[in-house]
Amino acid sequence: MNAHDFEQTEHRTAARWRTALLFVGFVLLVGLIAWPSFIGRIHYARTRAELAAMADAAAGAELAPVAKLFTTLARLVGPTVVNVTADRRLRSFADEVAALRGLPSGGVTDKSIGSGVIVESSGVIVTNYHVVARADRIAVTLADGRRFAARLVGADAGTDLAVLKIDAKNLPAAAWGDSDAIEVGEMVWAIGNPFGLDRTLTYGIVSGVGRRGVVNDPLQEFLQTDAAINPGNSGGPLIDVNGRIIGITTAIAGGDARGIGFAIPSNTAREVTTAILQLGHVERGYIGLALRGTTDGTRGVLVMATEPGAPGDQAGIKPRDVIVGFDDDPVASPAELVLMLTRADVGTDVPIEIIRDGKPLVLNVEIGRRPR
């Protein structure tokens, strides 16, 4: 091999090495570009697999019992919820005249449908007063399909509660809970018959407590919930996570409102139910004062007038006194004081703290009975 051939061979070898190096460099460059994406896909797949495994574990260890809770509550409380139907005969003036003459009268039957909850196995049922008010006939249908004529034991228009009795025994009964212990954010379930759909279960939370001014009655305060409440739910129970009654559903705020429903607190409903069963009516405290809120921004309630001879007058309360405390509890508004009075036991002596001419004074008042 002469020098020229050797030089040509060396040149071709160098060219091959350059080509090989360029190819390796290209492969490395492509690898460097593709590697993060490749690694990312592996990481994503691994993360997705880990999340799926975590979800499976959570479903087995955490979510499954929660889901089971819903079905358990439906089975536990559902049989205690009843459908309440009230019939009212609407008569015209001509119908009334015919009835006075002993002639057949026509009239139109108005029917209202609501819910109720069995609170005693002997057939005692709590519902809303507006469901059965002025009814000629009341019927109750149980979860097992049996239908009974119901007797109105008593009602309290002030709290919109009524107690019914049916001739049945050994019925499933719901237990009362403590509404004073309920806090905003707690889980609740409403069970009733919205639009006639028997024992519909809806879920939500307690959105507010101690709501006043929802209706134009100082005796009423409510729990607020976002659990769906619709026409027909009235009188049904609002229950807590233990299946206890913590409210009686009663109102929906406005036709345009969404997710805002109200329930009578269970402690109020239980007290009213007990009073009706024992006395046939509810007794409320009364001291005979005309009240209004203060106008200068100070706390308390301004006494506008006193009823002559009423307990407040006899205790020495005078117009222009400002009541700031009732039985050692602060008073912030007339509605709050009226609510305190209605819950006070008739015949008991209660200290009332007032401000008169800028000076504090405590008077003892014997709680009277509110006129019926």
Side-chain angles (χ1 to χ4, degrees):
M1 177 182 296
N2 54 36
H4 177 74
D5 292 336
F6 179 80
E7 183 179 344
Q8 290 294 326
T9 301
E10 188 178 56
H11 179 75
R12 286 194 295 270
T13 302
R16 292 191 190 101
W17 274 107
R18 284 197 298 272
T19 301
L21 289 173
L22 286 173
F23 177 77
V24 171
F26 175 77
V27 171
L28 290 174
L29 178 63
V30 171
L32 289 172
I33 294 173
W35 181 256
S37 176
F38 176 70
I39 293 298
R41 285 196 296 271
I42 293 177
H43 178 72
Y44 174 77
R46 183 180 300 166
T47 302
R48 187 172 181 177
E50 290 175 353
L51 287 175
M54 290 170 63
D56 290 340
E62 301 290 344
L63 300 182
V66 172
K68 193 69 174 177
L69 172 63
F70 284 61
T71 57
T72 301
L73 287 172
R75 288 197 301 267
L76 174 67
V77 185
T80 71
V81 180
V82 303
N83 186 302
V84 179
T85 304
D87 294 335
R88 302 172 183 84
R89 177 70 68 177
L90 304 180
R91 296 181 175 88
S92 66
F93 177 73
D95 295 326
E96 296 294 343
V97 172
L100 290 173
R101 294 178 177 177
L103 300 174
S105 60
V108 178
T109 299
D110 174 59
K111 186 186 295 290
S112 67
I113 299 175
S115 306
V117 58
I118 303 169
V119 295
E120 292 187 13
S121 61
S122 58
V124 176
I125 296 166
V126 175
T127 187
N128 279 151
Y129 172 65
H130 75 258
V131 172
V132 297
R134 300 178 301 280
D136 298 306
R137 291 185 302 274
I138 304 171
V140 167
T141 304
L142 304 184
D144 58 14
R146 286 183 293 167
R147 186 178 175 87
F148 294 86
R151 174 174 60 90
L152 179 63
V153 180
D156 181 49
T159 54
D160 192 25
L161 290 166
V163 178
L164 309 177
K165 180 71 171 65
I166 61 174
D167 187 14
K169 297 180 180 179
N170 301 319
L171 297 177
W176 292 107
D178 182 6
S179 56
D180 288 344
I182 292 295
E183 297 182 11
V184 172
E186 292 194 36
M187 296 188 300
V188 288
W189 291 258
I191 306 180
N193 305 300
F195 303 107
L197 301 172
D198 289 354
R199 275 155 287 281
T200 295
L201 177 71
T202 57
Y203 162 73
I205 63 169
V206 174
S207 308
V209 298
R211 296 297 196 207
R212 302 187 183 96
V214 177
V215 295
N216 190 25
D217 194 319
L219 299 181
Q220 295 192 27
E221 66 173 2
F222 298 97
L223 300 175
Q224 181 184 331
T225 178
D226 68 346
I229 297 175
N230 291 288
N233 272 106
S234 292
L238 188 70
I239 61 174
D240 64 9
V241 71
N242 296 305
R244 298 171 300 192
I245 304 169
I246 55 96
I248 301 295
T249 57
T250 187
I252 304 170
D256 296 330
R258 295 292 182 271
I260 301 178
F262 296 95
I264 302 164
S266 60
N267 288 358
T268 298
R270 180 170 50 186
E271 291 172 3
V272 169
T273 299
T274 300
I276 289 175
L277 291 175
Q278 293 178 350
L279 305 173
H281 62 273
V282 178
E283 289 191 339
R284 290 192 168 90
Y286 177 77
I287 58 176
L289 303 178
L291 307 168
R292 80 171 189 188
T294 58
T295 57
D296 57 0
T298 59
R299 71 184 183 95
V301 174
L302 180 64
V303 177
M304 299 299 296
T306 61
E307 179 184 333
D313 178 55
Q314 293 181 1
I317 297 176
K318 298 179 180 180
R320 304 193 65 80
D321 285 345
V322 177
I323 298 176
V324 295
F326 180 87
D327 201 13
D328 298 325
D329 290 323
V331 174
S333 68
E336 186 176 51
L337 179 56
V338 169
L339 206 58
M340 291 176 173
L341 282 167
T342 61
R343 292 175 173 174
D345 293 331
V346 175
T348 58
D349 285 336
V350 173
I352 293 183
E353 182 183 351
I354 67 172
I355 303 295
R356 179 180 295 168
D357 298 327
K359 299 178 181 179
L361 180 65
V362 177
L363 301 173
N364 287 322
V365 181
E366 182 178 344
I367 303 300
R369 181 176 288 103
R370 176 178 288 272
R372 297 182 59 199

